[in-house]
Amino acid sequence: MTDPTDPTVEAAMALLREHGPLHPDEWARLLVAEGHGYLADMEELTEYIDHPRLGYLADGRSAALDTLLSGRVLTHRLTAVEISTGILDAHPDLTPLLPFDDHDPAAGGLHTIFRDLDDDVFDERGVRDPDWPADAALLLEPDALAEFRPGDLVALALVDGVMRLTAAAVPLAPAPDLTGALADLVPHEGPGPLDDILWQLMADDPALLTAPTLPLGDLITAAGYVCDGDVIATAGFDFAAHRGASHAAAVAAAHHLTDDETDAVTAFTALIRVIEHTPDDDRERAIDTLVANSGDRFGGLASPNAARAAFGEAYATCGAGTDTLHAAAAVLRDRGPRRIAPTAHWLAGKAAELDGRTTDAERHYERAVSVDPNWDEALEALARFASDRGDAVRAIGLLDRIPGGDREPMYELLQMFRPVDRPDLGRNDRCWCGSGRKYKVCHLGKAEHPLAQRAPWLYQKAASFAQGIAWRPLLLSLAQIRSSHDDDPFALLHALDDPLIVDVVLFECGAFERFVTERGALLPADELLLAQQWLLADRSVHEVEVVRRGEGLTLRDVRTGDRQQVTDPAASTQLRVGDFFSARVVPAGTTMQIFGGIEPIAPAQRGQLIELLDSDATDPAELVEFLSARLAPTRLVTTDGHPMIACRAVFEVADTAGIRRKLSRRFGAADNDRWTWTEHDSVLGMLNLSPHTEPWILEIETMNEPRFTSLIDAVGAADPGARLREQTRTPAAELMAQMQDKGVRPHQPDPADPEIAAVLAEHIRRYEQQWLDEAIPALGGHTPRACAADPTRRDELIRLLDAFPQQEQPGAMSARRLREALEL
């Protein structure tokens, strides 16, 4: 999706406001005509533009909602709960207003909230009904509706560009008949999107809803239609059946289920709902009825694939508790077909595992395998338990019984811990370890690896635990933050395995503590002790002081000053002395090791990160967002704060006699018919005249759009007859990509473009001057200038400056200039 603040997006919205609703091809052609890019690019933009005031209409056109809604009045009849809570149920009366997001000034203080996403708000406002509102709502101040009574009509209208809520003026305007218009827009075979259709009604009839009248819900009902949340259909349409069929199709597609398997999953979720929502005294009778009516529908759960889908639907979608899952598993075991007995035992095991009852879970998985020795899911679960115990041989053996088990993440690691036989020893020879016992009773078929070697195995055990279904929502939300700067369609999938994300879920979110509590009894004693030590290890910021290539590093913890000798051959080939990074350094037997990835930290970021790590109020999402900011595309701005966009225009000159004189009066003397627009020693634009063509050509260039507009106006003033022949605008990201294609490193300005170099140089010098007098957390909250004057703090300042890149680069702070300014 596009950035709503992108100048091209703003230009696209301006066209919609000027011309009204447009089809994508019309919209694209108008954008090209105004010089915003190639037609192919614009067609893609108009399909995927993201802006809070953009609405897609039912006929495929797009509209600027602030223009479309200007002068419209939407009414809504208040209920007692709305008055007492300050929350308005949005559907269907207020649906057209929902795109005005919380950050849009036009929203007038209205905040769009959704049931399930904002449940805390509903709890805080005293909403007791979990089914109200069904979906979207508008949040006002708690006492915003105190002057009204149940049944009163309120009106919402866009007044002077801002949404206003007032009492609806009476008498009401005559109610419009929407029957014919809705008949043309609402699909006959199923429901349609309510917002698209309502916007279409307004676009087709400029007089519609321009005065207070009956609420949209009443008008829709009178026309013979009915709404369900954000969709609309003809009266009598079975929304529940439609939702059920749509959901079943989605589940089948997601899990590649057959029709019988899909039917079995649907039957299982129905069983879950009966157990969850039926009162205690009626539950057994309701279960009996459901089982009797289901016949052999549960039989499809014999497939491990269907069993996985059933568990996911029950736990993740229906929100079933572990008691419910255990009860449902008992129903399947006692009343279902015999062929689903392994599924029943496996489901009971999953319920016990989620409850932290490790011993019970393993017993249920063993029962599943005893009924069907090749039941995949139970074998995989038992392999995890064997791995936790340190029994690599059993874990590998169990995985080998699963088709594709050798592709499980733990399989390759387990191979490292297979016992290696000693062919030079007979079974009855004395063991190599010096115990005095026979080899066959001491180390035959067994392996002993030092704790330092098993530390990665321990971390992998915990990581596997953190990637289970109980932690998946947290994992997914953090992965979305991590991947937000990446346009790769598989970015989110990759982020789910990102070391930082897994580590944050483990430690900052508490999964590792729960792993130790629930699975600690399975771990070898020394691994349990090590895991308990890891709970005390904090993430920190480290400076590389010594690099031992192929072996490890000496690190200084910036927060504590402690120095640590870290064993990490891979990191020793990637890091250099003076580098700073964030990581979790943990003990591992006789060594210190790094798990959870290494996050490079720029000098300017170090203080803020230390503050985040020191604060108990730092949210895991905030930490991931900060550490992921380095992955964002470079965003350059000019010295006046506007996005850097290379703007170019070509004019045909009419006033050949006066153009030189007038431009020189405005921009100073020319150098070979080339004028440089400067202010306060900053280059703002260039003008280049080619008088040897017919007609004369004047080319102008700037690096942001406000300057571009000023130059165009200046040319118009100098030569009112000049004709604009072409113009282009190239955003910084695209400009940098072009530079890279030409072999110019992305972080460097194009040597042929002096303004980019001037802008970068000016920007960084101003920042350096500010930095000298800023309180720097890495310097204990003191300013660099104060530390330079204080002999007790000067060494720390020198160390900080040594961490800066020593080779000067455009766009980077200069350690040399800073030392000169501080007289170091």
Side-chain angles (χ1 to χ4, degrees), residues 481-502:
I481 297 172
R482 185 67 164 176
S483 61
S484 61
H485 303 301
D486 195 337
D487 292 332
D488 185 339
F490 299 103
L492 178 59
L493 185 63
H494 298 323
L496 290 171
D497 291 323
D498 188 287
L500 173 68
I501 300 305
V502 175

Side-chain angles (χ1 to χ4, degrees), residues 357-667:
R357 294 181 285 111
T358 302
T359 302
D360 290 345
E362 188 172 24
R363 186 178 69 252
H364 285 299
Y365 295 144
E366 293 283 9
R367 287 177 179 173
V369 172
S370 69
V371 177
D372 183 351
N374 297 312
W375 212 79
D376 295 1
E377 291 298 309
L379 290 170
E380 189 275 334
L382 290 172
R384 285 188 288 107
F385 281 92
S387 175
D388 288 352
R389 286 194 171 90
D391 191 343
V393 173
R394 173 167 165 76
I396 291 170
L398 290 164
L399 291 175
D400 282 339
R401 289 161 61 180
I402 304 173
D406 57 347
R407 295 192 295 272
E408 287 289 330
M410 72 177 93
Y411 192 87
E412 184 177 355
L413 185 62
L414 289 169
Q415 298 295 327
M416 299 171 55
F417 299 98
R418 277 182 180 273
V420 178
D421 290 339
R422 295 283 299 270
D424 57 318
L425 291 179
R427 292 171 54 83
N428 293 314
D429 290 344
R430 297 297 178 186
C431 188
W432 56 266
C433 71
S435 65
R437 293 182 295 173
K438 293 181 179 181
Y439 178 45
K440 66 181 180 183
V441 298
C442 190
H443 270 96
L444 179 61
K446 300 176 184 177
E448 282 192 1
H449 297 274
L451 191 57
Q453 292 183 20
R454 285 182 282 126
W457 189 6
L458 172 62
Y459 190 86
Q460 190 277 336
K461 298 172 188 180
S464 177
F465 178 85
Q467 290 172 320
I469 195 169
W471 299 96
R472 198 162 297 160
L474 268 175
L475 195 69
L476 181 60
S477 65
L478 296 178
Q480 287 172 330
I481 297 172
R482 185 67 164 176
S483 61
S484 61
H485 303 301
D486 195 337
D487 292 332
D488 185 339
F490 299 103
L492 178 59
L493 185 63
H494 298 323
L496 290 171
D497 291 323
D498 188 287
L500 173 68
I501 300 305
V502 175
D503 196 73
V504 169
V505 171
L506 276 171
F507 290 94
E508 276 79 6
C509 296
F512 192 82
E513 183 176 9
R514 184 168 165 186
F515 167 76
V516 173
T517 300
E518 296 181 6
R519 308 296 278 264
L522 301 179
L523 298 174
D526 57 350
E527 289 187 22
L528 175 57
L529 181 60
L530 182 61
Q532 291 167 338
Q533 291 177 300
W534 286 2
L535 286 172
L536 304 177
D538 293 329
R539 186 183 309 280
S540 194
V541 178
H542 303 274
E543 178 190 5
V544 179
E545 292 190 328
V546 178
V547 174
R548 298 179 295 279
R549 294 296 175 190
E551 180 184 342
L553 313 160
T554 298
L555 304 178
R556 181 178 69 91
D557 189 323
V558 176
R559 297 169 69 197
T560 65
D562 295 340
R563 285 173 171 79
Q564 298 165 321
Q565 306 297 322
V566 174
T567 301
D568 196 323
S572 72
T573 63
Q574 300 168 5
L575 297 171
R576 301 171 301 174
V577 172
D579 283 349
F580 285 83
F581 64 88
S582 176
R584 189 183 310 279
V585 178
V586 296
T590 57
T591 68
M592 300 294 290
Q593 298 183 26
I594 298 174
F595 297 110
I598 291 174
E599 293 291 309
I601 300 298
Q605 295 177 306
R606 210 166 69 209
Q608 188 177 351
L609 178 57
I610 291 172
E611 290 179 354
L612 285 174
L613 296 177
D614 284 344
S615 173
D616 293 335
T618 299
D619 183 83
E622 185 180 4
L623 177 63
V624 170
E625 185 173 9
F626 181 87
L627 292 174
S628 302
R630 65 183 176 87
L631 306 176
T634 302
R635 183 177 183 269
L636 295 177
V637 296
T638 52
T639 53
D640 46 6
H642 294 283
M644 185 178 284
I645 298 173
C647 303
R648 174 180 175 272
V650 177
F651 291 87
E652 294 179 359
V653 176
D655 182 9
T656 56
I659 191 70
R660 285 192 178 99
R661 175 173 47 82
K662 294 176 182 178
L663 290 180
S664 294
R665 186 182 302 158
R666 171 66 177 83
F667 298 109

Side-chain angles (χ1 to χ4, degrees), residues 37-123:
Y38 299 103
L39 182 60
D41 297 334
M42 291 302 102
E43 286 179 342
E44 182 176 356
L45 171 72
T46 55
E47 290 290 339
Y48 299 104
I49 186 173
D50 181 22
H51 194 282
R53 302 191 193 183
L54 176 68
Y56 293 100
L57 309 187
D59 64 0
R61 292 183 295 167
S62 302
L65 294 180
D66 47 358
T67 302
L68 184 66
L69 290 169
S70 181
R72 314 281 181 167
V73 181
L74 301 180
T75 61
H76 177 71
R77 199 176 305 280
L78 295 175
T79 65
V81 68
E82 289 175 323
I83 294 170
S84 65
T85 61
I87 298 175
L88 296 175
D89 187 0
H91 293 314
D93 300 339
L94 308 176
T95 298
L97 308 179
L98 292 178
F100 286 84
D101 68 12
D102 299 354
H103 306 292
D104 191 334
L110 295 176
H111 297 268
T112 301
I113 57 176
F114 295 88
R115 173 58 80 178
D116 294 333
L117 295 180
D118 301 274
D119 283 351
D120 289 347
V121 174
F122 297 105
D123 293 340

Side-chain angles (χ1 to χ4, degrees), residues 38-359:
Y38 299 103
L39 182 60
D41 297 334
M42 291 302 102
E43 286 179 342
E44 182 176 356
L45 171 72
T46 55
E47 290 290 339
Y48 299 104
I49 186 173
D50 181 22
H51 194 282
R53 302 191 193 183
L54 176 68
Y56 293 100
L57 309 187
D59 64 0
R61 292 183 295 167
S62 302
L65 294 180
D66 47 358
T67 302
L68 184 66
L69 290 169
S70 181
R72 314 281 181 167
V73 181
L74 301 180
T75 61
H76 177 71
R77 199 176 305 280
L78 295 175
T79 65
V81 68
E82 289 175 323
I83 294 170
S84 65
T85 61
I87 298 175
L88 296 175
D89 187 0
H91 293 314
D93 300 339
L94 308 176
T95 298
L97 308 179
L98 292 178
F100 286 84
D101 68 12
D102 299 354
H103 306 292
D104 191 334
L110 295 176
H111 297 268
T112 301
I113 57 176
F114 295 88
R115 173 58 80 178
D116 294 333
L117 295 180
D118 301 274
D119 283 351
D120 289 347
V121 174
F122 297 105
D123 293 340
E124 291 167 3
R125 294 290 181 93
V127 178
R128 304 297 176 222
D129 183 356
D131 296 323
W132 185 91
D135 186 18
L138 292 175
L139 183 70
L140 294 80
E141 292 299 320
D143 58 352
L145 302 173
E147 63 183 274
F148 296 99
R149 296 182 179 181
D152 284 352
L153 273 182
V154 291
L156 282 94
L158 204 62
V159 179
D160 297 328
V162 179
M163 203 66 62
R164 304 296 186 195
L165 183 147
T166 61
V170 291
L172 297 177
D177 185 358
L178 303 182
T179 306
L182 289 176
D184 294 333
L185 296 174
V186 178
H188 298 294
E189 67 281 0
L194 181 60
D195 50 3
D196 294 10
I197 290 172
L198 293 179
W199 292 328
Q200 181 76 56
L201 291 175
M202 297 181 193
D204 292 343
D205 184 357
L208 182 65
L209 303 177
T210 54
T213 186
L214 292 177
L216 274 170
D218 294 357
L219 300 178
I220 290 169
T221 301
Y225 294 86
V226 62
C227 298
D228 184 75
D230 59 358
V231 293
I232 181 174
T234 56
F237 184 79
D238 192 339
F239 286 104
H242 177 77
R243 286 195 301 272
S246 298
H247 182 69
V251 171
H255 296 277
H256 308 288
L257 304 178
T258 66
D259 290 344
D260 287 345
E261 290 169 349
T262 303
D263 195 34
V265 171
T266 302
F268 182 73
T269 54
L271 172 62
I272 290 291
R273 291 189 178 95
V274 165
I275 296 173
E276 284 268 283
H277 301 298
T278 307
D280 293 349
D281 52 352
D282 290 335
R283 185 173 299 125
E284 283 302 317
R285 180 189 56 78
I287 291 174
D288 290 341
T289 301
L290 184 144
V291 171
N293 293 336
S294 295
D296 196 38
R297 290 179 65 198
F298 291 120
L301 295 177
S303 158
N305 196 33
R308 279 193 298 271
F311 172 70
E313 285 299 296
Y315 184 77
T317 304
C318 299
T322 53
D323 289 343
T324 298
L325 285 170
H326 193 80
V331 171
L332 296 184
R333 182 194 64 215
D334 298 337
R335 310 187 200 185
R338 292 185 60 184
R339 63 182 182 277
I340 67 169
T343 299
H345 290 303
W346 176 75
L347 286 169
K350 294 296 289 184
E353 193 171 352
L354 287 169
D355 243 357
R357 294 181 285 111
T358 302
T359 302

Side-chain angles (χ1 to χ4, degrees), residues 660 663-665 667-676 687 689:
R660 285 192 178 99
L663 290 180
S664 294
R665 186 182 302 158
F667 298 109
D671 180 9
N672 292 325
D673 285 326
R674 183 178 179 87
W675 290 265
T676 302
L687 302 91
L689 180 65

